[in-house]
Amino acid sequence: MLTAIQQAAATHLLTKEEIVRLLQTTEFDGPLFEAANALREKYVGNLVHLRGLIEFSNICKQNCLYCGLRRENLNVQRYRLTTEEILDFAAKARSYGYRTVVLQSGEDDYFTVDKLQYIIRKIKELDLAITLSVGEKSTDEYRAYKEAGADRYLLRIETTDQALYERLDPGMSFVNRIRCLKDLRELGYELGTGCLVGLPGQTLESLADDILFFKELNADMVGIGPFIPNPDTPLAAAAGGSFELSLKVMAITRLLLPDINIPATTAMETLNRQGRVVALQSGANVVMPNVTEGDYRKFYALYPGKICINDTPAHCRGCITGKITAIGRSISEDYGFRNKCCPL
Ligand code: SAM
Ligand code: SF4
Ligand code: FES
């Protein structure tokens, strides 16, 4: 396996069997994380890109079994931010030095194309890059957001096991999810996807397929997080994913896609107090601190134990700066698009 890791670091190729083997054993974790960290440094450098996350609505028409925002969860206080609040949080994010904001929400049809286009146009006036993460939409809607100025889109495939996907996301179709990703790519977005690790019924083979899917899609950004069971969902009693396995899926993704943006995810830090720093040293180069203010953070309750729910955007900005500089890395001052400089 050591040879496979070394070869993958040079060729960015691994077979499904090799990936499964790496996921099965802890024996090669040290060399794996080192190789991913070295590739991160070689291809995307030592700068960490920050994205300011605005969780602008927790209202969702979907019913994903794993998610606290699912429509049948009556135990969550629902909110949607006003346009003014969204623009205010974006302006504050800019003033804290962020160059990208991520607008994330449940699938909330209150935000029509016109409303979202207006918000996107106003935020672009602040000289910010915009990532949207608002779920499955029609081709025309994706086109309209792009025309208004959205730069990137984040839509995790969640799992490439079609039967598992459709069991866990009732009423949603895997084929449509793929259609969305294809549309986003064709419309010229920087394309972000990713998966959950530790879903009930998910196998290591299926996680290997997820990694190979990211490679085949040539995703520009891949976010990987452990599934954390939420007591207010049908998966309350599930075991959930581990930090270690999520970290490995992330590191192998870096081997296969050396020049992409990979976030150290909030869910990783929820399971491990140093989770984001460890991830930054195992292949990640992006962090997405929350810039939503007040109680909204608490109400955006995907899973229990979410970090930063009582902190302010200013505090989080200082906290993450401290963590990044403490490991000898610096914060990028540009938009942080995928680094396409390097021959692959
Ligand atoms: N509604 C949009 C969507 O589904 O793409 C964006 C918001 S959704 C809350 C963002 C991500 O949260 C999902 O892609 C999913 O991977 C993650 N998520 C949901 N429930 C989770 C849980 N229990 N543990 C960890 N991550 C979770
Ligand atoms: Fe809604 Fe997204 Fe949660 Fe599914 S994962 S219930 S689409 S917010
Ligand atoms: Fe929010 Fe550390 S990033 S408290």
Side-chain angles (χ1 to χ4, degrees), residues 214-275:
F214 306 148
K215 171 84 174 170
E216 191 190 323
L217 188 66
N218 189 20
D220 301 304
M221 198 280 271
V222 176
I224 290 147
F227 156 59
I228 303 174
N230 183 321
D232 294 326
T233 64
L235 300 184
S242 74
F243 172 73
E244 292 74 17
L245 187 58
S246 309
L247 198 68
K248 280 166 70 157
V249 173
M250 188 202 80
I252 298 169
T253 301
R254 172 62 76 196
L255 294 191
L256 299 197
L257 288 156
D259 68 335
I260 66 169
N261 283 320
I262 299 186
T265 57
T266 305
M268 284 187 177
E269 186 112 338
T270 299
L271 294 190
N272 178 321
R273 282 192 61 204
Q274 294 304 321

Side-chain angles (χ1 to χ4, degrees), residues 57 59-60 62 64-69 103-108 133-136 153-158 169 172 177 194-197 199 223 225-230 233 235 267 300-304:
S57 165
I59 297 170
C60 188
Q62 301 294 1
C64 308
L65 299 191
Y66 44 80
C67 179
L69 305 192
L103 297 179
Q104 192 180 79
S105 68
E107 291 199 14
D108 181 359
S133 177
V134 297
E136 296 186 9
Y153 205 99
L154 176 51
L155 186 78
R156 286 181 174 176
I157 192 68
E158 316 291 3
D169 297 43
M172 296 173 84
R177 197 96 178 157
C195 66
L196 284 167
V197 174
L199 290 166
F227 156 59
I228 303 174
N230 183 321
T233 64
L235 300 184
Y300 202 81
L302 314 182
Y303 49 77

